[in-house]
Amino acid sequence: MSPSGPSAAPIPLHVSGEPPAPPAPDVLGTSAGPGRQPAPAVRPGAVDWAALGVEPRWKDQETGDCAAVLSPVRGPATGLEPYKRYAAGARQRGETALVVACTGAGERSHNVFSGTVAPGIHLPDRHGSISANPLPVGVSPELADGLDHAEHDLGTRLLNRPPDTWFRLTYLKESSSSHPGVARMWPPPGEGELRPILVDGLGAPVAGVWVPAGGSARWFVVPHGTDQRLLVEWLVQHALPAYVPGALTRARSPLLRDPAFATDAEARLVETIAEGQRAHERRQSELKQQLAELRAVADPLRDRLLFGTGHPLEDAVYDVLVAAGATVTRLDDVYGTKSADLLAEYGGRRVLVEVKSANNRAAQSLPDKLRKHLNTWPGLTGTEPVDGGVLVVNHQIKLPPAQRDAEVYADRAFADALTVPVIGSARLFDWWRREDWDAVLDAVFGDIGVAQSPVIAVPDADPKASGRPGLLSRLRR
């Protein structure tokens, strides 16, 4: 929908660069006639400025009264007359200078200090520049924290742009030398801040807004190739109302309405919408916090079950059994290497648990280690009889989990001849992540008619106590 109303004037917008070439004139005898469709008013792929309520101002046109600057290729040349007139006009009106600058277009260079560098943006008034280092293809940016409404909307729009190369943005401040014998720069370099709008997986800004000290300007820096219509729509519908409302007032745009003249019904609906947005943001914040807490628990256990060896893998098996409701004792703390790793108890049954790992396929000798512990168990001091044992193996660690054999022993004849149960830690992980506690208990303790729900573990009073049932209980319903 066009932001223009019956009495609204188009909003002047300086677009850096040359105006688009006019369409080629019709060749004699090819104009629209019977059976022919008239030529469209706007060429495919071109921006319909009138529909957006905008009057583009190109090179050699007046820019002093423009509402903002759009540079679809690279940052505007701040030393040239069009930008200087625009900035002077904004300063005279007491308005924020609003610029949307695309970066990264053009020939790239390489040096040993910065690596590959694409053309960046030169900021005005000795404020330095913003460099653009190309990032690998496949980077998936996400919204930064603490964005205002207009910044959030721009970031959301940019996330929907077609896959392309993103750039790591770096604010390079101009420096004045203080070494003896070197003239100081005057006026001194300006201060400013590059605030991220989108960040990559390492937290580096890939789209952002540069704001000088005092907030007299806002330079929104986005990757080149961003759809021009998207940027113009955002400027008119979100950026101007938020940062340069005076431009909308001059154009008598209906996008800017004085609340003092709103009807009661309008005011009530505006407040209802605002409250809905606040409630949505609160709920989003709560859900993100819950997700962060779940991942803080799941990530380490997931890693140990799928890639762990030694004591970390034993700890993970311990945690899963405790989460399923079993009582588990670490036998290494009592008997050292003379016994299995764990003693698990549930429903009146007691089993030894031996935990092993293998970089490739599991050796067929591993079950013998469990059998040895079952044979020596009665001779250890203070032991009570057990009902059997189970071997847990994290096998083929060198392979991604999805490429590993489903069973620890793929040799069917050998697997059928086993006299002790063998469970892959990946299988144990799958039951744990789905909270299939019955499957865990049946696999470890055998068919004991599991009918009761496992007891949810109580958080440890001492965070250094053995095991982490308190953390795992957060994952329980």
Side-chain angles (χ1 to χ4, degrees):
M1 182 183 69
S2 169
S4 302
S7 61
I11 300 168
L13 175 68
H14 174 44
V15 184
S16 298
E18 300 287 344
D26 288 336
V27 178
L28 184 64
T30 62
S31 59
R36 290 176 57 85
Q37 294 294 326
V42 178
R43 290 169 295 150
V47 176
D48 189 348
W49 301 99
L52 296 170
V54 166
E55 176 195 350
R57 301 280 182 85
W58 307 94
K59 180 183 177 182
D60 299 328
Q61 292 182 303
E62 173 61 285
T63 57
D65 61 341
C66 285
V69 173
L70 171 64
S71 180
V73 177
R74 64 181 66 183
T78 58
L80 298 184
E81 194 65 20
Y83 177 79
K84 291 198 293 185
R85 287 190 64 83
Y86 163 71
R91 186 165 54 250
Q92 185 180 61
R93 294 187 296 272
E95 293 178 349
T96 298
L98 186 60
V99 176
V100 176
C102 298
T103 189
E107 186 176 349
R108 302 178 182 182
S109 61
H110 180 84
N111 63 62
V112 295
F113 300 104
S114 303
T116 303
V117 181
I121 293 171
H122 292 282
L123 299 168
D125 301 330
R126 301 188 184 277
H127 278 99
S129 62
I130 296 174
S131 70
N133 292 82
L135 291 172
V137 175
V139 169
S140 298
E142 58 184 28
L143 291 168
D145 296 329
L147 303 179
D148 65 24
H149 174 75
E151 294 166 348
H152 186 279
D153 188 87
L154 176 61
T156 302
R157 290 169 184 250
L158 293 175
L159 286 176
N160 294 327
R161 67 193 294 268
D164 201 350
T165 300
W166 292 91
F167 301 89
R168 183 181 75 248
L169 305 179
T170 305
Y171 177 30
L172 304 174
K173 299 180 181 180
E174 230 175 82
S175 61
S176 58
S177 176
S178 59
H179 296 295
V182 178
R184 292 177 179 270
M185 182 184 296
W186 187 261
E191 293 296 326
E193 176 187 10
L194 177 63
R195 303 173 187 169
I197 293 178
L198 293 179
V199 295
D200 66 6
L202 301 179
V206 298
V209 54
W210 173 79
V211 182
S216 60
R218 284 178 180 264
W219 282 53
F220 289 88
V221 185
V222 302
H224 77 87
T226 302
D227 182 65
Q228 197 166 326
R229 179 186 175 89
L230 176 152
L231 295 175
V232 175
E233 284 182 340
W234 173 77
L235 268 170
V236 173
Q237 298 174 9
H238 297 278
L240 292 180
Y243 310 124
V244 196
L248 299 179
T249 300
R250 292 193 300 277
R252 300 181 63 182
S253 170
L255 289 173
L256 186 70
R257 294 181 174 88
D258 191 335
F261 299 106
T263 66
D264 288 347
E266 287 176 312
R268 287 194 299 269
L269 192 54
V270 167
E271 179 54 33
T272 300
I273 292 172
E275 178 53 38
Q277 290 175 335
R278 290 192 292 269
H280 173 73
E281 291 171 359
R282 288 194 297 269
R283 181 58 177 159
Q284 285 287 98
S285 178
E286 293 171 359
L287 293 176
K288 288 181 179 179
Q289 179 62 32
Q290 292 176 20
L291 181 60
E293 292 175 357
L294 290 175
R295 285 175 172 169
V297 177
D299 284 345
L301 196 143
R302 179 168 34 234
D303 181 74
R304 293 196 300 265
L305 284 175
L306 297 178
F307 301 99
T309 62
H311 289 299
L313 178 60
E314 294 171 16
D315 290 342
V317 175
Y318 176 101
D319 288 341
V320 172
L321 295 179
V322 169
T327 300
V328 187
T329 303
R330 284 186 170 83
L331 296 177
D332 287 351
D333 297 340
V334 182
Y335 300 110
T337 59
K338 296 180 180 179
S339 71
D341 298 306
L342 305 171
L343 172 65
E345 303 176 65
Y346 185 87
R349 301 202 66 176
R350 307 171 76 246
V351 299
L352 296 180
V353 182
E354 180 72 359
V355 182
K356 295 294 181 183
S357 62
N359 287 332
N360 300 302
R361 286 191 170 92
Q364 294 186 353
S365 60
L366 291 184
D368 293 337
K369 299 182 183 297
L370 175 60
R371 296 190 191 98
K372 175 183 176 182
H373 291 314
L374 288 171
N375 291 333
T376 59
W377 177 256
L380 297 177
T381 304
T383 60
E384 297 182 12
V386 294
D387 300 291
V390 61
L391 175 65
V392 177
V393 182
N394 188 13
H395 65 296
Q396 296 175 301
I397 296 176
K398 289 186 175 181
L399 293 177
Q403 297 179 15
R404 301 175 190 176
D405 294 335
E407 302 295 336
V408 175
Y409 293 110
D411 185 337
R412 202 64 259 159
F414 177 80
D416 291 341
L418 287 170
T419 58
V420 293
V422 179
I423 308 171
S425 63
R427 179 68 57 83
L428 202 63
F429 164 74
D430 194 53
W431 291 330
W432 171 79
R433 73 181 181 87
R434 292 187 286 110
E435 301 183 43
D436 190 350
W437 310 121
D438 289 353
V440 174
L441 296 172
D442 283 343
V444 175
F445 297 97
D447 185 6
I448 56 176
V450 177
Q452 56 181 315
S453 299
V455 178
I456 296 178
V458 178
D460 293 320
D462 181 1
K464 296 182 180 179
S466 61
R468 281 159 293 279
L471 290 175
L472 288 169
S473 67
R474 299 181 191 176
L475 295 177
R476 307 291 306 284
R477 289 192 177 92

